[in-house]
Amino acid sequence: MPQSPEITVGFGSKVTVGDVAEVARRRIPARLNDLAIPKVEKSNRTLWNYVERRVPIYGLSTQFGDQVGMVDNHINEKSPEDYRRLIKDRQLNLVLSHNCGLGDEAPVEAVRATMLLRAHCLGQGYSGVRLKVVESLLNFVNNDVCPVVRQYGSIGASGDLIPLSAIAAALIGENVEAWCGGERMMMVDVRRKLITPALELEGREGLALINGTSFMTAMTALSVVDLEVLFHNMLVGISICLECLSVIDSAYDPLVHKLKNHSGSVEINDFILNAWKESKLIRRLDDERIRVGNGKATLQPSVEMNNLQDYYSLRSVPQGFGPFKENLERCLRWIEEEVNSVNDNPIIDADKKQIYHGANFMGYYVTEACDLLKMDIAQASTWLHAILANLVHPRKNFGLPTNLVEKSNIYSGFRPIQILAAALAVENRKLAQSHQAFMLPTEGDNQDVNSLGTHASFDLKTSITNLSRLTAIILLAGVQAVELRGLDRVSLLAQRVHKIVRGFSPALVRDRSLASDMESLAKWLRESKL
């Protein structure tokens, strides 16, 4: 029997955003890389050497955040047992106090991904925790235990303190709510079912569990995986719509985009040209010039209009979507780098026997990625609405029936769908606001700057969901136009996509609700490439 694939984490392993999705969604098991074991143990020994020498360390012999000045008094006078007890109580209280999130539940898949990423971070061997802490996180992942995590609480500085505390509370035996094997139950019942002991915190393990970017990074990693698939499908839908609108070839000549001198524009243009292979609908500029020269063009827009240039939304797709493509590639790299980062504080260098107080818990790379992509999604959403408007209206659709339906004097067809598309586009434009611009100093002004990465990650997820709905809309409109133009006249890609889309939604011959068709197709478009 072939062994099931598994993901390794910790020192010696690189985790991709695809790996995160595999563990979060397909329940692929994860384990600590064997190379990480000595690194983690050495880091833990280094930390305890500092403890035994009674060296003040942030979050170990001090309070947290703005209260870092509250250092244990008479530290050298305490017995080893009393000092360990003081440290343990401080870590426990940190988790209990910060487990205060509110709002809707975060998706279970995001919580699974979060635990994987926290195990990966702590397994790098720079956090001073015991192996047992990493193993406890992976035990939850591999046994499908997902503590309930609420949406609100993190401001993306000092990491995701409040969301991660919900996971830490479950690990240490607090009787909080969790999902286990798809069933919601209390942690006391989960432990009875799995026969697994609670984790007792030592050293700085409470702080290590909650002081990082794992929640915002997990959310964003899953989103960019979806967006990478959706971006391809969106380009397919755009290509088919442009084809059925009989656009002029001139704007898509490779020389035009070579001269523009941007790789994204060139790549998008090549994609579209490849999508149009075997199409009989694309018009040649030379033919349009001949018609205009012969006086066959009309001055007023009509079915027979022979224009020499298309509307901007039809003519400039490579120039408009090239930046989106390049930003997506950049953001995928940033998120994957954050996935593999040590985002803890303090950081323990066991080789040099040094402990550094830093700020790797800051989520600015995550925020920047989300803000960039939300902006590009808003622009794309407006663009898809414009393409749909071209398809629907007789003034612009080059001979297609009004509303993309026969008997438009009786049926509304895709006219109300354009109203829906406008609503989705407007929402995505609102979500495109930069979260970094909303930063609010807090926590005694210790956190006087913060990233708001977690807020940005939730809005990115919503934006992508809306973009998938808009993509479903233009694909439904596109395949409707394919049928109206004639399957024998469209590209091979359009014929293939037509067959796939019709599996979700039959042709719109008379008015009916397309709501369930659109939602089912939208979900598929986030998961599978056309």
Side-chain angles (χ1 to χ4, degrees):
M1 292 287 292
Q3 290 186 334
S4 298
E6 64 179 5
I7 305 298
T8 62
V9 301
F11 179 77
S13 295
K14 180 180 179 181
V15 177
T16 67
V17 291
D19 293 335
V20 176
E22 288 287 283
V23 173
R25 292 168 172 167
R26 291 187 55 215
R27 308 268 194 291
I28 299 298
R31 68 171 180 84
L32 185 63
N33 191 318
D34 292 339
L35 295 173
I37 294 172
K39 286 279 290 183
V40 172
E41 291 176 334
K42 188 176 182 180
S43 174
N44 181 247
R45 289 195 301 271
T46 301
L47 175 69
W48 279 105
N49 180 264
Y50 269 72
V51 172
E52 288 162 2
R53 290 188 287 124
R54 307 298 170 94
V55 178
I57 301 170
Y58 168 71
L60 195 83
S61 50
T62 75
Q63 265 287 29
F64 306 96
D66 179 53
Q67 298 173 1
V68 64
M70 295 183 180
V71 183
D72 291 339
N73 295 321
H74 309 294
I75 189 172
N76 293 318
E77 299 174 11
K78 298 183 185 296
S79 69
E81 294 77 16
D82 287 343
Y83 191 38
R84 279 179 176 262
R85 188 177 304 111
L86 178 65
I87 290 171
K88 183 176 288 191
D89 287 346
R90 179 178 287 115
Q91 298 299 307
L92 176 62
N93 291 333
L94 175 71
V95 172
L96 296 180
S97 62
H98 283 72
N99 181 26
C100 59
L102 295 176
D104 295 337
E105 289 184 35
V108 167
E109 64 177 28
V111 179
R112 285 177 58 81
T114 299
M115 294 187 293
L116 176 78
L117 297 193
R118 203 73 210 132
H120 186 41
C121 173
L122 302 183
Q124 302 289 339
Y126 290 94
S127 298
V129 302
R130 294 165 297 157
L131 282 171
K132 186 179 293 185
V133 177
V134 182
E135 291 165 348
S136 295
L137 284 162
L138 294 177
N139 183 49
F140 271 24
V141 171
N142 293 331
N143 285 284
D144 199 16
V145 178
C146 286
V148 170
V149 176
R150 298 291 172 179
Q151 180 172 347
Y152 294 121
S154 175
I155 58 169
S158 231
D160 292 309
L161 296 172
I162 289 173
L164 291 176
S165 290
I167 296 171
L171 287 170
I172 66 176
E174 289 298 300
N175 195 24
V176 295
E177 290 184 297
W179 293 92
C180 182
E183 182 181 357
R184 190 186 182 106
M185 59 180 73
M186 303 302 293
M187 274 306 302
V188 64
D189 299 315
V190 173
R191 296 203 175 279
R192 190 179 296 119
K193 180 179 179 180
L194 299 180
I195 318 177
T196 180
L199 174 69
E200 288 192 37
L201 299 174
E202 294 184 4
R204 60 170 303 273
E205 289 171 351
L207 182 60
L209 281 167
I210 73 172
N211 196 19
T213 63
S214 299
F215 183 55
M216 69 178 85
T217 306
M219 286 283 299
T220 308
L222 294 174
S223 289
V224 293
V225 165
D226 289 347
L227 184 56
E228 188 176 29
V229 174
L230 179 60
F231 186 82
H232 168 89
N233 292 334
M234 178 180 63
L235 287 182
V236 170
I238 290 171
S239 300
I240 292 171
C241 290
L242 296 181
E243 178 185 356
C244 289
L245 285 164
S246 294
V247 297
I248 300 170
D249 63 356
S250 177
Y252 293 89
D253 189 283
L255 176 65
V256 173
H257 301 281
K258 180 181 178 181
L259 295 175
K260 181 65 173 172
N261 198 34
H262 289 287
S263 61
S265 177
V266 170
E267 290 166 10
I268 296 293
N269 192 66
D270 289 346
F271 183 99
I272 292 171
L273 289 177
N274 189 61
W276 288 344
K277 284 182 178 177
E278 306 300 325
S279 175
K280 300 179 180 64
L281 295 176
I282 305 301
R283 289 179 292 152
R284 296 178 65 248
L285 178 58
D286 288 344
D287 293 340
E288 298 305 301
R289 284 173 170 155
I290 291 170
R291 290 191 180 95
V292 171
N294 290 338
K296 293 183 177 179
T298 59
L299 294 177
Q300 298 299 320
S302 71
V303 171
E304 295 82 19
M305 182 178 66
N306 296 297
N307 54 318
L308 293 177
Q309 286 191 157
D310 291 309
Y311 295 110
Y312 283 13
S313 61
L314 309 182
R315 193 187 345 152
S316 56
V317 170
Q319 295 92 337
F321 284 82
F324 192 167
K325 184 180 189 299
E326 294 184 47
N327 280 339
L328 178 55
E329 291 166 352
R330 179 184 295 112
C331 293
L332 278 163
R333 175 171 57 82
W334 281 348
I335 298 306
E336 201 152 278
E337 288 170 348
E338 190 70 30
V339 162
N340 290 284
S341 70
V342 176
N343 46 84
D344 203 351
N345 177 51
I347 286 174
I348 298 160
D349 184 346
D351 293 333
K352 294 183 178 179
K353 296 182 172 56
Q354 291 290 328
I355 296 181
Y356 304 97
H357 296 176
N360 277 8
F361 48 67
M362 277 292 192
Y364 279 101
Y365 277 98
V366 176
T367 316
E368 185 78 13
C370 292
D371 281 354
L372 273 175
L373 293 175
K374 289 191 290 102
M375 175 187 68
D376 286 331
I377 288 169
Q379 177 258 18
S381 300
T382 301
W383 206 302
L384 296 182
H385 174 264
I387 289 174
L388 182 64
N390 279 281
L391 284 166
V392 168
H393 295 292
R395 181 175 62 84
K396 304 177 75 177
N397 66 15
F398 208 73
L400 288 166
T402 301
N403 302 333
L404 288 179
V405 65
E406 302 289 357
K407 299 182 181 179
S408 55
N409 60 322
I410 300 174
Y411 301 125
S412 294
F414 277 80
R415 183 169 59 84
I417 303 301
Q418 189 194 353
I419 300 172
L420 169 64
L424 293 168
V426 167
E427 179 66 12
N428 275 357
R429 289 161 73 170
K430 183 191 77 174
L431 292 170
Q433 296 181 84
S434 167
H435 274 79
Q436 294 173 71
F438 286 90
M439 183 274 295
L440 175 69
T442 187
E443 201 253 319
D445 284 344
N446 173 55
Q447 296 186 31
D448 52 354
V449 295
N450 41 73
S451 72
L452 299 182
T454 309
H455 282 262
S457 70
F458 273 102
D459 278 3
L460 176 62
K461 176 179 171 61
T462 303
S463 295
I464 292 169
T465 299
N466 286 337
L467 184 64
S468 71
R469 291 165 174 156
L470 283 161
T471 302
I473 286 171
I474 66 159
L475 277 165
L476 288 172
V479 299
Q480 185 87 356
V482 162
E483 292 171 352
L484 293 167
R485 291 295 192 198
L487 277 168
D488 60 329
R489 301 180 65 203
V490 299
S491 63
L492 298 177
L493 174 67
Q495 293 175 29
R496 188 171 75 248
V497 171
H498 170 268
K499 184 175 181 181
I500 293 171
V501 173
R502 280 293 172 247
F504 289 89
S505 179
L508 191 63
V509 178
R510 55 181 59 85
D511 286 339
R512 60 183 173 86
S513 173
L514 292 176
S516 61
D517 299 5
M518 290 184 289
E519 204 69 273
S520 298
L521 180 57
K523 181 177 184 298
W524 187 88
L525 292 169
R526 298 192 297 270
E527 300 170 351
S528 308
K529 282 189 176 181
L530 288 164

